[in-house]
């Protein structure tokens, strides 16, 4: 049984703590700066002692750090400065952006370290916890530490996938585009359907978006459909004219997305004359801005 300390009791930290508790681990301590997050964490895991970060780290043999990317390096240095690293303890952070280098101060203080990032969304702690089974995790660790880090992931009912340190930023950029950018685009699509008088946009969007995402993740640009893929410059022109009249603030977004789709359509074999026709429409609206 692991004795786990969580530093960062937000949506990710709380979901992971629940997952580890379900696996039989003891969640012994939690540290965080947001009172609301701490209260929500303790409602779900009342056995955890609320401590300062260094004290929490000393309480666990496994320290799971789930703070925002830009806070991670400073947090690690702070805990090391305050003698919070126990010799032989195992430290894991859940940032997608960083590998293990950001944990180097903890390693030098005697910890073993790994970076384990779940390819999953955490809109709230409970939904995140429910989504953990089957989630792929990018695991970056030295060979001697890859085993225990992978066991941690499998105990969370996830699938560990080894990822080298130099690949972390590109990997994280890919997930950010695939998840966060998709959310923004679907939210925009929902807004457009509501503007068209569709009372239940989810009835149209849910099957379309889910199928499109599934096709694209498996087939890449070959899954692209729609007016840009077909080279229907007139349809693209009509879309932009309507948006320019009723929702001009989204024209730039449509043009940017259409340019990305056009680049992909070229790769998928769209005729160059058709590409040029669509490009001319996009250029015209971009000049108007």
């Amino acid at each position: 049984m692991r004795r786990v300390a969580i530093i960062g009791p937000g949506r990710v930290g709380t979901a992971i703590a629940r997952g580890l508790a379900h696996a039989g681990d003891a969640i012994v301590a939690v540290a965080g700066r947001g009172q609301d997050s701490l209260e929500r964490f303790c409602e779900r895991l009342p056995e955890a002692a609320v401590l300062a970060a260094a004290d929490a780290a000393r309480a666990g043999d496994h320290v799971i750090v789930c703070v925002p990317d830009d806070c991670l390096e400073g947090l690690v240095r702070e805990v090391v400065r305050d003698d919070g690293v126990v010799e032989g303890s195992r430290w894991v952070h859940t940032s997608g952006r960083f590998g293990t280098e950001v944990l180097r101060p903890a390693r030098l203080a005697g910890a073993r370290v790994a970076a384990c990032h779940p390819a999953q969304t955490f809109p709230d702690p409970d939904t995140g916890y429910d989504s953990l089974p089957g989630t792929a995790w990018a695991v970056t660790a030295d060979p001697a530490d890859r085993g225990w880090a992978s066991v941690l992931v499998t105990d969370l009912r996830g699938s560990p996938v080894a990822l080298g340190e130099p690949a972390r930023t590109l990997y994280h950029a890919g997930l950010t585009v695939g998840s966060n950018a998709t959310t923004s685009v679907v939210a925009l699509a929902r807004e457009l359907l509501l503007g068209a008088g569709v009372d239940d946009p989810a009835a149209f969007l849910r099957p379309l978006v889910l199928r499109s995402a599934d096709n694209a993740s498996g087939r890449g640009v070959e899954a692209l459909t729609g007016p840009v893929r077909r080279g229907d410059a007139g349809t693209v022109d009509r879309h932009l004219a309507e948006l320019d009249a009723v929702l001009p603030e989204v024209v730039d977004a449509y043009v940017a997305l259409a340019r990305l789709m056009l680049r992909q359509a070229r790769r998928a074999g769209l005729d160059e004359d058709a590409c040029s026709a669509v490009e001319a429409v996009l250029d015209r609206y971009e000049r108007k801005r």
Side-chain angles (χ1 to χ4, degrees), residues 42-194:
C42 292
E43 286 172 4
R44 293 161 176 81
L45 298 137
E47 69 276 14
V50 179
L51 302 172
D55 295 331
R58 281 192 293 269
D61 52 48
H62 282 66
V63 181
I64 314 296
V65 184
C66 306
V67 300
D69 292 353
D70 287 351
C71 300
L72 180 56
E73 184 175 10
L75 181 281
V76 174
R77 292 185 181 280
E78 174 190 317
V79 174
V80 171
R81 181 199 66 205
D82 294 341
D83 297 322
V85 178
V86 175
E87 181 79 26
S89 60
R90 295 174 176 182
W91 279 56
V92 173
H93 76 71
T94 59
S95 166
R97 169 183 162 191
F98 293 106
T100 58
E101 183 60 26
V102 73
L103 295 176
R104 186 168 180 268
R107 178 194 282 127
L108 292 175
R112 299 172 69 177
V113 302
C116 299
H117 177 258
Q120 188 54 263
T121 60
F122 293 80
D124 60 74
D126 299 322
T127 302
Y129 167 72
D130 291 339
S131 299
L132 287 175
T135 293
W137 292 64
V139 175
T140 301
D142 289 342
D145 294 309
R146 203 170 293 146
W148 65 262
S150 295
V151 168
L152 182 77
V153 168
T154 56
D155 284 350
L156 286 164
R157 296 171 288 171
S159 301
V161 179
L163 188 72
E165 183 101 16
R168 295 286 295 203
T169 300
L170 189 59
Y171 153 81
H172 193 229
L175 292 188
T176 298
V177 171
S179 175
N180 309 132
T182 297
T183 299
S184 295
V185 169
V186 174
L188 172 59
R190 181 178 185 275
E191 185 178 353
L192 295 178
L193 290 179
L194 288 170

Side-chain angles (χ1 to χ4, degrees), residues 192-272:
L192 295 178
L193 290 179
L194 288 170
V198 176
D199 293 331
D200 184 13
F204 290 86
L205 286 174
R206 184 173 288 116
L208 183 65
V209 169
L210 292 177
R211 176 64 66 181
S212 296
D214 188 54
N215 289 343
S217 63
R219 299 176 57 198
V221 297
E222 294 300 325
L224 185 64
T225 63
V228 173
R229 174 64 181 92
R230 295 189 298 268
D232 290 337
T235 300
V236 174
D237 195 1
R238 190 175 181 87
H239 288 175
L240 284 166
E242 181 72 7
L243 291 174
D244 200 30
V246 302
L247 207 62
E249 62 269 25
V250 306
V251 168
D252 288 345
Y254 186 104
V255 169
L257 288 168
R259 287 197 185 280
L260 175 60
M261 287 185 276
L262 186 61
R263 175 175 173 269
Q264 294 167 338
R266 274 194 170 101
R267 288 171 55 195
L270 181 63
D271 176 82
E272 188 56 38

